[in-house]
Amino acid sequence: RRGAARERGERGESKRKRKEEEGKENMMALLARLSAGWRSYLVHSHALRVARCQNLALLRESRKNFSAEVSEDEECQLHITDACVERIRRLKENAEGGNMLLRIRVDSGGCSGFQYSFTLDDVSEEGDRTFSKEDVQIVVDEVSMQFLKGATVDYTEELIKSAFEVTSNPNAESSCGCGNSFVPT
């Protein structure tokens, strides 16, 4: 009896050790997958920052001001909805300063890899692309424009939020549920 009990105890101990080992292996596999994902995210983030810095340096060297040039080519356009125009107008009326631009940037981050960033600005910078509709202007830097060609900018008002949004982007393969981040094509 004592031998059988000891044998059962050893088998139970052996099962427990196997389960612990399996748990450790599963945890290590999960960590490996997560670290590969983070590594990929960091590489994309770094590449975007490098491209942004290189493009801005090239633009400064060339001494060209692209802000006055807007291509008539359809794929290089940024489409602006009437709701977006109306909201920028209301913001301009409430602001103390005279000139107000909506600046759109694409930055690394968000749950899908890249995210849209909307800010109000009063001047365009060297290398900005300027898009106008009626009396409002939207500016986009050259690096971000690569991700926004042909996109539609809208202003939406919902119960839970009111915000500027990119509602249609042909350069996005998919986007997250909130619509603020996307995976480029």
Side-chain angles (χ1 to χ4, degrees):
R1 283 187 151 172
R2 287 185 186 188
R6 192 173 73 204
E7 190 177 305
R8 277 187 301 227
E10 288 174 359
R11 274 190 265 149
E13 183 68 23
S14 175
K15 277 185 179 179
R16 187 181 59 77
K17 285 184 180 180
R18 271 196 313 259
K19 283 187 178 184
E20 282 180 11
E21 289 299 319
E22 286 175 5
K24 287 179 185 177
E25 288 174 9
N26 289 341
M27 183 64 73
M28 294 307 289
L30 176 63
L31 287 173
R33 286 195 314 262
L34 287 173
S35 66
W38 276 105
R39 203 172 312 121
S40 173
Y41 168 77
L42 290 174
V43 167
H44 287 302
S45 174
H46 178 71
L48 182 64
R49 284 189 191 112
V50 168
R52 185 181 302 268
C53 291
Q54 287 174 345
N55 269 355
L56 290 176
L58 288 173
L59 290 171
R60 285 187 190 112
E61 287 173 18
S62 68
R63 299 179 190 267
K64 290 183 181 175
N65 186 357
F66 293 102
S67 62
E69 299 175 22
V70 177
S71 171
E72 294 301 316
D73 189 15
E74 182 66 24
E75 70 181 26
C76 291
Q77 286 293 330
L78 191 67
H79 305 283
I80 306 166
T81 65
D82 293 337
C84 181
V85 169
E86 186 58 37
R87 180 60 181 157
I88 295 172
R89 265 195 204 127
R90 282 186 284 166
L91 290 170
K92 284 171 93 172
E93 289 171 2
N94 295 337
E96 299 281 327
N99 194 22
M100 182 180 290
L101 312 167
L102 177 65
R103 177 174 298 281
I104 305 173
R105 289 183 54 157
V106 174
D107 293 317
S108 59
C111 49
S112 296
F114 293 97
Q115 63 186 358
Y116 303 111
S117 170
F118 299 90
T119 57
L120 296 173
D121 207 341
D122 54 356
V123 294
S124 64
E125 297 173 2
E126 186 175 337
D128 282 346
R129 298 282 310 271
T130 302
F131 299 92
S132 300
K133 183 170 181 179
E134 299 174 23
D135 60 336
V136 301
Q137 293 181 325
I138 295 179
V139 292
V140 180
D141 64 84
E142 281 295 314
V143 175
S144 296
M145 191 61 206
Q146 297 170 12
F147 297 100
L148 292 170
K149 289 179 183 174
T152 301
V153 182
D154 194 9
Y155 181 77
T156 58
E157 292 183 87
E158 300 171 358
L159 288 175
I160 55 174
K161 72 173 183 175
S162 298
F164 291 104
E165 291 183 342
V166 175
T167 56
S168 172
N169 187 349
N171 305 296
E173 186 175 304
S174 63
S175 63
C176 67
C178 68
N180 197 36
S181 69
F182 68 99
V183 176
T185 55

